[in-house]
């Protein structure tokens, strides 16, 4: 019997396990190809003959990351890889493997007077109130302050009541306009405001130049009252006639020859518009002084109130009979925020406003005014902070804290094998390569070198392939040597029936053993099927025949061998035949046996036929016993060689010759029945008694058993 091959399975999935006949040992050849998982980022996996598959080195040199999806080295995989930790730079994102800068947070609170900034220390936006941004240059608003929520707020009025604030002169005064001085009394005249001080008014001139009227001021009516005095008109003049006092034009005759508005010219005895300039005066200062020329009123010339100051509104004040020049600051505004708020001086015209953007207390900021956004800017100027030393880094200007020291200008280049330093003499960063830092002590990696961008790189492979195509050339780190391990798979010619080829480490590929050796079954024909890559075992029945007919036809069964044939003489349909096989004549014999067909009924003829038992016909004289026991019939039956059967069917014959079918007559006579239940008066004869005695003797002898009533069912011959 063949032996059991040694179990060379080392349970290391990546080794090729084989039995080395030359060395009488199991070999376990590492196969790096079995370790490749198709993942770019795992690098080139290798097979360790002891521990199994080991991951290869990361193909991406830090700080780059490995992207398995695109099989490339990238700066980032997710946005988290790009986060610089600075709140004020916004959230950096990763787009197609490249870090994109974030959008700085919007710290504008839309409050114009706050200085909005981003606080990196607290990761928040700050809004510092700047009162200077709220100053509008108006004295009367006080010193404005900045509320960080609602914006600029006016201060309290600098003038205590009843004083008023004069914006034009930046002082507190008693009045600003004449209305502030009005005492409400008409007869006192219109009080006026002169340089902030109220001046008493001039009482109204109630003289109407009408000599005949008594002129007075009526406070209740807020008017001058002119009461006529007719006696004062009597002057003896023609034109006066019978004078009466007319409150409009003075003394008049009752029948004035001149129809108003004409008046009578006494010297010339005529009616005229006027007699003198006073007669033409309409009492309005702003209309000028009217004159009377040859009895006709001529209009006056209005006073010229125009001054040379463009920002004043020039008007004529009828109440004060003077020209008024009111400053209008709005005409001085040039729309520029950075010029401040211009004001109008009634003497010298428009004056520039104060600077809205004073300098802050941070020396390194450039203090300017932003005309576009109406803002004061304090722009950090890093150049103002530079100490001129390159290796100290670039100093920066913080808009709140002033100059801050710079960061390291020469950070780590993240290449482990370079020595990083700063050269002040040349203002450069140095990254000196040091190959010694790359030596990993591994023989199979070759002599490592330091690359300025990629870092440490493996040296050239120290193990060159051999000339045999079926060996796997590997480098053994444990022995610091090159190995050429045979790989039987490289010798496979693809033909199953040639067996599994093997790789000889010295000779190369060698043919494999027969995959289909003969089996232990003598009646099968052994072969190899190349189409199905399987061994064939074809049974051949001819190899099993022993030449005997009665054994049947032997057959060959796969994996079992020769098996005896089926009996050629199967039992026939007749169970009453004795079946046998005749080896001499090569025939089957079926011998009938009638005894096997006995159905227990003595009245039938039992026969064995090719189709089985047949129970027909009459076996001879049959007598039947029932509830009527006829001794004469019984003895007569036995005398004839018949059989008296209990419980059998009627034969339908008159066995006793009385003309009535047995077993019982309807009303038997004494001559033919010994006991006849239901028949009255039956008297046994002497001969009948003798028969009774004979029957009893037979009963004792065990030949017949009967009794009155139903037979026991035991048959006696």
């Amino acid at each position: 019997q063949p032996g059991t091959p040694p179990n060379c399975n080392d349970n290391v999935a990546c080794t090729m396990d084989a039995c080395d006949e030359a060395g009488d040992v199991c070999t376990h050849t590492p196969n790096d190809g079995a370790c490749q998982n198709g993942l770019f980022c795992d690098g080139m996996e290798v097979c360790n003959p002891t521990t199994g598959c080991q991951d290869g080195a990361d193909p991406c040199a830090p700080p780059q990351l490995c992207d398995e999806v695109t099989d490339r080295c990238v700066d980032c995989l997710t946005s988290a890889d790009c986060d610089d930790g600075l709140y004020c730079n916004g959230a950096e994102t990763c787009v197609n493997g490249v870090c994109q800068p974030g959008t700085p947070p919007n710290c504008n609170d839309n409050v114009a007077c706050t200085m909005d900034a981003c606080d990196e220390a607290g990761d928040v936006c700050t809004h510092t109130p700047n009162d200077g941004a709220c100053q509008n240059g108006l004295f009367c608003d006080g010193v404005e302050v900045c509320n960080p929520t609602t914006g600029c707020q006016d201060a309290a009025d600098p003038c205590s009541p009843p004083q008023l604030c004069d914006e034009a002169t930046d002082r507190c005064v008693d009045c600003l306009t004449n209305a502030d001085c009005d005492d409400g009394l008409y007869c006192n005249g219109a009080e006026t405001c002169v340089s902030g001080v109220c001046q008493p008014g001039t009482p109204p001139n109630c003289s109407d130049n009408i000599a005949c009227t008594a002129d007075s001021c009526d406070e209740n009516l807020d008017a001058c009252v002119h009461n006529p005095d007719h006696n004062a008109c009597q002057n003896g003049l023609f034109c006066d006639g019978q004078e009466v006092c007319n409150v409009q034009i003075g003394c008049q005759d009752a029948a004035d020859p001149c129809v108003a508005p004409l008046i009578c010219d006494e010297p010339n005895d005529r009616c005229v518009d006027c007699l003198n300039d006073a007669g033409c005066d309409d009492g309005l200062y702003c209309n000028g002084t009217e004159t009377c020329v040859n009895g006709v009123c001529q209009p006056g010339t209005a006073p010229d109130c125009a001054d040379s100051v463009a920002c004043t509104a020039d008007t004529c004040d009828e109440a004060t009979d003077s020209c008024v020049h009111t400053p209008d600051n709005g005409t001085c505004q040039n729309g520029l925020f950075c010029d401040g708020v211009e004001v109008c001086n009634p003497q010298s015209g428009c004056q520039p406003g104060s600077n809205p953007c004073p300098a802050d207390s941070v020396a390194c900021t450039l203090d300017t005014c932003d005309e576009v956004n109406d803002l004061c800017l304090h722009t950090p100027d890093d150049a103002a902070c530079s100490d001129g030393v390159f290796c100290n880094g670039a100093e920066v200007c913080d808009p709140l804290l002033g100059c801050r020291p710079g960061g390291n200008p020469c950070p780590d280049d993240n290449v482990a094998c370079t020595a990083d330093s700063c050269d002040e003499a040349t203002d450069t960063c140095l990254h000196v390569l040091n190959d010694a830092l790359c030596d990993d002590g591994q023989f199979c990696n070759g002599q490592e070198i330091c690359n300025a961008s990629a870092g440490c790189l493996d040296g050239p492979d120290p193990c060159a392939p051999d000339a045999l195509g079926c060996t796997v050339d590997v480098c053994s780190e444990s022995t610091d040597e090159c190995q050429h391990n045979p790989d039987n798979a490289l010798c496979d010619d693809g033909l199953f029936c040639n067996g599994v080829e093997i790789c000889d480490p010295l000779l190369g590929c060698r043919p494999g053993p027969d995959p289909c050796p003969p089996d232990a079954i003598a009646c099968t024909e052994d072969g190899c099927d190349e189409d199905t890559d399987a061994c064939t075992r074809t049974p051949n029945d001819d190899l099993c025949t022993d030449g005997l007919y009665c054994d049947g036809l032997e057959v060959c069964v796969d994996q079992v061998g020769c098996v005896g044939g089926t009996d050629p003489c199967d039992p026939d349909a007749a169970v009453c035949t004795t079946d046998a096989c005749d080896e001499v004549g090569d025939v089957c014999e079926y011998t009938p046996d009638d005894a096997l067909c006995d159905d227990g009924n003595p009245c039938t003829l039992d026969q064995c036929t090719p189709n089985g038992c047949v129970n027909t016909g009459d076996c001879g004289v049959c007598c039947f016993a029932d509830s009527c026991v006829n001794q004469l019939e019984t003895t007569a039956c036995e005398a004839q060689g018949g059989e008296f059967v209990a419980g059998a069917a009627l034969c339908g014959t008159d066995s006793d010759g009385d003309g009535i079918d047995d077993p019982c007559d309807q009303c038997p006579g004494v001559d033919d029945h010994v006991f006849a239940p239901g028949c009255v008066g039956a008297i046994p004869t002497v001969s009948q008694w003798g028969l009774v005695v004979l029957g009893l003797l037979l009963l004792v002898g065990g030949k017949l058993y009967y009794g009155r009533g139903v037979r026991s069912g035991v048959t006696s011959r």
Side-chain angles (χ1 to χ4, degrees):
Q1 301 298 317
T4 301
N7 181 11
C8 290
N9 184 7
D10 61 359
N11 294 316
V12 177
C14 64
T15 58
M16 294 183 292
D17 305 321
C19 183
D20 181 2
E21 194 64 57
D24 290 348
V25 294
C26 290
T27 59
H28 311 286
T29 305
N31 179 12
D32 292 341
C35 292
Q36 305 309 315
N37 59 8
L39 298 178
F40 171 75
C41 295
D42 283 355
M44 183 64 70
E45 293 81 6
V46 296
C47 178
N48 184 298
T50 303
T51 60
C53 291
Q54 306 292 318
D55 286 341
D58 190 336
C60 298
Q64 285 199 309
L65 303 174
C66 184
D67 185 353
E68 190 62 61
V69 176
T70 61
D71 289 353
R72 61 191 181 115
C73 297
V74 296
D75 295 331
C76 59
L77 295 175
T78 66
S79 297
D81 300 330
C82 299
D83 188 3
D84 62 1
L86 297 178
Y87 169 78
C88 295
N89 284 353
E92 292 78 12
T93 56
C94 181
V95 178
N96 197 25
V98 179
C99 287
Q100 303 296 323
T103 301
N106 180 11
C107 289
N108 184 6
D109 61 358
N110 294 315
V111 178
C113 64
T114 57
M115 293 185 292
D116 304 321
C118 183
D119 180 3
E120 192 63 57
D123 288 352
V124 294
C125 290
T126 59
H127 310 286
T128 306
N130 178 15
D131 293 341
C134 293
Q135 306 310 316
N136 59 9
L138 298 178
F139 171 77
C140 295
D141 283 353
V143 179
E144 292 80 7
V145 294
C146 179
N147 183 299
T149 303
T150 59
C152 291
Q153 305 293 318
D154 286 338
D157 191 334
C159 299
S160 301
Q163 285 199 309
L164 304 174
C165 184
D166 185 358
E167 191 63 59
T169 61
D170 291 350
R171 63 193 179 109
C172 296
V173 295
D174 295 331
C175 60
L176 294 175
T177 66
N178 294 336
D180 299 330
C181 298
D182 189 1
D183 61 2
L185 297 177
Y186 173 77
C187 294
N188 284 349
E191 292 79 10
T192 59
C193 181
V194 178
S195 190
V197 179
C198 286
Q199 302 297 324
T202 300
N205 180 11
C206 288
S207 175
D208 59 1
N209 296 317
I210 304 299
C212 65
T213 58
D215 303 323
S216 64
C217 182
D218 186 344
E219 194 63 57
N220 293 326
L221 299 175
D222 287 348
C224 290
V225 177
H226 308 284
N227 296 315
D229 181 6
H230 299 302
N231 292 328
C233 291
Q234 303 308 317
N235 56 11
L237 296 177
F238 169 78
C239 288
D240 289 345
Q242 184 62 42
E243 294 86 6
V244 292
C245 184
N246 184 300
V247 295
Q248 300 295 326
I249 58 177
C251 290
Q252 287 184 321
D253 289 336
D256 192 339
C258 298
V259 179
L262 294 178
I263 58 176
C264 183
D265 181 4
E266 187 67 44
N268 299 306
D269 291 340
R270 59 177 182 158
C271 293
V272 294
D273 293 329
C274 60
L275 296 176
N276 51 44
D277 291 341
C280 294
D281 187 4
D282 60 4
L284 298 176
Y285 169 76
C286 295
N287 284 348
T289 304
E290 293 80 10
T291 58
C292 183
V293 178
N294 196 24
V296 179
C297 287
Q298 302 297 323
T301 300
D304 182 8
C305 289
D307 60 7
S308 59
V309 179
C311 63
T312 58
D314 305 321
T315 60
C316 181
D317 186 357
E318 193 65 56
T320 60
D321 291 345
S322 62
C323 289
V324 177
H325 308 287
T326 305
D328 181 4
N329 292 335
T331 62
C332 293
Q333 304 309 316
N334 58 8
L336 298 178
F337 170 77
C338 295
D339 283 355
V341 180
E342 293 80 6
V343 295
C344 177
N345 185 293
Q347 285 79 38
S348 54
C350 290
Q351 303 297 315
S354 58
N355 181 11
C357 299
D360 61 8
S361 60
V362 180
C364 63
T365 58
L366 299 175
D367 305 314
T368 59
C369 181
D370 181 357
E371 190 62 59
V372 175
N373 298 305
D374 291 353
L375 294 175
C376 294
L377 302 177
H378 305 284
T379 306
D381 181 9
D382 293 340
C385 296
S386 177
D387 61 1
V389 178
F390 172 76
C391 292
N392 283 352
E395 291 77 13
V396 295
C397 177
D398 186 288
L400 299 177
L401 304 176
C403 290
R404 311 301 294 168
N408 180 10
C410 299
D412 189 350
D413 61 359
N414 293 315
V415 178
C417 60
T418 59
D420 306 317
S421 63
C422 180
D423 186 352
E424 189 64 53
T426 61
D427 288 353
T428 57
C429 295
L430 302 179
H431 306 285
V432 180
L433 304 179
N434 185 353
D435 292 342
L437 296 176
C438 293
D439 187 4
D440 59 2
Q442 302 293 320
F443 168 76
C444 295
N445 287 349
Q447 185 64 44
E448 293 81 6
I449 60 174
C450 179
N451 182 282
S453 59
C456 291
L457 300 176
D458 288 342
D461 186 353
C463 296
D466 61 8
L468 296 179
C470 66
T471 58
V472 178
D473 306 312
V474 296
C475 181
S476 173
E477 194 62 56
S478 60
T479 61
D480 288 353
E481 63 180 1
C482 298
Q483 296 179 349
H484 307 283
N485 301 314
D487 183 356
N488 293 338
L490 299 175
C491 294
D492 188 3
D493 62 1
L495 297 176
F496 171 77
C497 295
N498 284 353
V500 179
E501 292 79 9
I502 59 174
C503 177
D504 187 290
L506 299 177
L507 302 176
C509 290
R510 313 299 295 167
D514 184 358
C516 299
D519 59 7
I521 307 302
C523 65
T524 57
E525 296 177 350
D526 305 320
C528 179
D529 187 347
E530 192 63 59
D531 293 334
T532 61
D533 288 353
C535 296
T536 59
R537 314 289 181 182
T538 306
N540 185 352
D541 295 339
D542 292 341
L543 298 177
C544 292
T545 183
D546 59 1
L548 297 177
Y549 170 76
C550 293
D551 283 353
L553 183 61
E554 293 80 9
V555 295
C556 180
V557 178
D558 188 21
Q559 300 183 3
V560 176
C562 290
V563 177
T566 304
D567 186 352
C569 298
D570 292 333
D572 58 7
V575 296
C576 59
T577 59
T578 300
D579 305 324
C581 180
D582 181 2
E583 188 66 57
V584 176
D586 289 348
V587 295
C588 295
E589 295 179 342
Y590 303 98
T591 305
D593 184 356
D594 293 340
L596 298 176
C597 291
D598 187 2
D599 61 359
N601 186 352
C603 296
T604 58
L605 179 62
D606 304 320
Q607 291 180 321
C608 179
T609 71
N611 293 323
C613 290
V614 177
N615 304 101
T616 60
D618 193 340
C619 62
V621 177
C622 290
C623 302
F624 297 91
D626 55 13
S627 60
C628 295
V629 179
N630 190 321
Q631 185 62 43
L632 295 178
E633 293 174 345
T634 302
T635 56
C637 181
E638 290 181 346
Q640 298 178 41
E643 187 175 25
F644 201 88
V645 180
L650 297 176
C651 289
T653 61
D654 182 10
S655 60
D656 58 356
D658 63 354
I660 301 174
D661 289 340
D662 287 330
C664 289
D665 294 329
Q666 294 298 319
C667 192
V670 296
D671 59 338
D672 52 6
H673 287 89
V674 179
F675 302 107
C679 296
V680 181
I683 301 174
T685 64
V686 173
S687 61
Q688 291 173 331
W689 281 112
L691 291 173
V692 170
V693 172
L694 179 59
L696 292 173
L697 291 176
L698 291 173
L699 177 62
V700 173
K703 296 297 183 176
L704 179 65
Y705 172 79
Y706 64 93
R708 194 174 189 279
V710 179
R711 295 282 296 276
S712 66
V714 177
T715 302
S716 178
R717 295 181 179 275

